[in-house]
Amino acid sequence: MTGHFPMRQIIDDHGNLLDESYKKDLNEELVHRLYFHMYRIRTFDLKAKSLQRQGRIGTYPPFEGQEAAQVGSALALGDDDWMFPTYRDHGAMLTFGANMMRTFLYWNGRVEGCVPPEGKKIFPAAVPIATQLPHAAGAAWAEKKKGTKNISIAYFGDGATSEGDFHEGMNFASVFQTPTIFFNQNNQYAISVPIDRQMNSETIAQKSVSYGIPGVRIDGNDCFVVYLETKKAIERARNGGGPTLIEAVTWRTGAHTTADDPTKYRNKEQGADVVDPIVRLERFMKNNGYWDEKKTNSIHEELKVEVEQAVEAMESYPKANVEDLFDHVYANPPEQLLRQKELYMEQLRR
Amino acid sequence: MPVMSYIQAVTSALKEEMQRDEKVFVLGEDVGKKGGVFRATDGLYDEFGEYRALDTPLAESAIAGVGIGAAMYGMRPVAEMQFADFIMPAVNQIISEAARIRYRSNNDWNCPITIRAPYGGGVHGALYHSQSVEAVFANQPGLKIVMPSTPYDAKGLLKAAIRDNDPVLFFEHKRAYRLLKGEVPEDDYVLPIGKADVKREGSDITIITYGLCVHFALQAAEKLAEEGIDAHILDLRTVYPLDQEAIIEAAKKTGKVLLITEDNKEGSIISEVAAIISEHCLFDLDAPIQRLAGPDVPAMPYAPTMEKYFMMNPDKVEKAMRELAEF
């Protein structure tokens, strides 16, 4: 089946353009936007990891190595589209417009961190696996029914393809031809379980055949192919062409979370040949006259400042109020819950 | 007797049962090579190989369902749900199938599966790594739900669960894994499923609880003993079906009953315990039955103050015990 679903690439590991016909699609603005956002979320990710080590935030699932997949796909979205991310997709969320201070706040255990900026349709990250796929079909179905051109994108990993909700969401979307992009980041590992233990299929993209929808397998570490193929699928969805399954092949550079130790199940050689997606883009930029050392350094500085300021704002955010524990269980809290709250507060004051 | 942690007791029960009976195998996410996210299945992959420490695809319904199929065939599967919170996709298999197989086949088939899952909070697990799910299953005839409170009980009851001819849900408090240590015999032993256990004899007040809360109650009881309050502590051990006789006996013993759970209050295991006591002990009670439980909000926020506030702890238990004693 890999024959039917060859992995599409636009640039190789050395940053060389593999197909000149793509040249028209790549312009300076796009190249710099991709670089800016990939470097931005990398800076965020490394900072988050170090904050966790210092005990300043909680357990954290790094997305290092998946920047091209997350940025390329998120930049292809329109402002009014829907995003249904997982806990490892904060890079995509930040790129789509999530607030960085709030993102840190989320990883510090605060529900306030799930609130997107006004008007941004970003769902709270799904922690149970694959539950967000039917949601993405549902939101897109509602947009279709309403007659808008808005689409939804669901992010999910390779492990999620084993869950029932994967099938149910894909099937529903295909039956009702909802404008949904099922964006899979195949990072090869679900905690300790490698992809060949997850499925017997050669590719995830080929699963699209069973739903009668378009499927494409792309190099998830090539930001250009991610951006252009996602854009293509989005345009099709917007114009009534229904859902698409995209398999972005990438690599989880680090651990599943900061609580995981991958040396228990992966050896050092694994992934050694994977070229960092940011390095790949840098090489392309250098090869093609897009690289400006001075400008790059100033971007790095600018992003460092942004991240530091976000951390500072997160850390000076008002502490959680115990009283809030009882809020937002229902739109209208039942009497007994209000009484329970009163009683708890009374005990606390004693 | 060697001293071991709660999680070591779980691991050694699994290991010994796998050595004793080759029909016993474990399956679940990351239980093989990695040895489980909490390392409960540590070493099983090396000793018994990949087919008896089976790393499965990420699909809880299949982990339960495949286990059920193998159990009906005659195997002794021990399925692991990585976190009790993630048992939800498997609920259909557990309730619609495992719980009903014996009944709907007129006793022709049975389903000797054990399903293990770490539950409970206090480990900064947030909304999806902290829940107590026992009440979800505690009105499903055909199931047994075991929730041990000590390393000794964990080992003896897990062995009993594996040897049981009906499906058993076995919930282990994840904070107990490394917090609790205790003596565990070297010899093979099993403890009876369906039987509660008196963890402390006392004459002033009765505490009925299970899981990690037993530990909190014991700690509080030691403190209160210095004030002359003598607590009787009954550990349910099996929360479904309940050991009614032991509950009634413990309640009658002091006439003052405090029920404790970490779970949300309404519809919890202890609500059923309260119903049993009110049915059988009306004239033996000297105080209203007290319930100390988590608040009725989703379990549980992660923000430090909130998690601490939601969680049960020895102070909360001590306060409730003293209030009851003074009633």
Side-chain angles (χ1 to χ4, degrees), chain B residues 147-150 153 195-199 207-211 214 233-238:
Chain B
M147 301 180 77
S149 69
T150 67
D153 286 357
K195 290 285 170 212
D197 183 48
V198 176
K199 284 288 191 285
I207 317 302
I208 303 178
T209 183
Y210 58 95
V214 172
I233 299 174
L234 183 71
D235 176 3
L236 291 170
R237 295 204 297 201
T238 297

Side-chain angles (χ1 to χ4, degrees), chain A residues 39-90:
Chain A
Y39 202 89
R40 180 171 180 257
I41 67 168
R42 168 70 56 86
T43 312
F44 169 88
D45 190 61
L46 295 179
K47 185 72 195 179
K49 221 160 56 175
S50 114
L51 289 177
Q52 191 282 331
R53 287 204 187 108
Q54 298 165 47
R56 289 159 72 188
I57 62 169
T59 308
Y60 176 78
F63 52 72
E64 189 179 357
Q66 299 178 215
E67 289 86 352
Q70 297 202 9
V71 168
S73 55
L75 285 183
L77 294 169
D79 283 343
D80 293 326
D81 292 334
W82 292 80
M83 180 180 273
F84 292 83
T86 76
Y87 52 84
R88 205 188 299 285
D89 298 315
H90 282 86

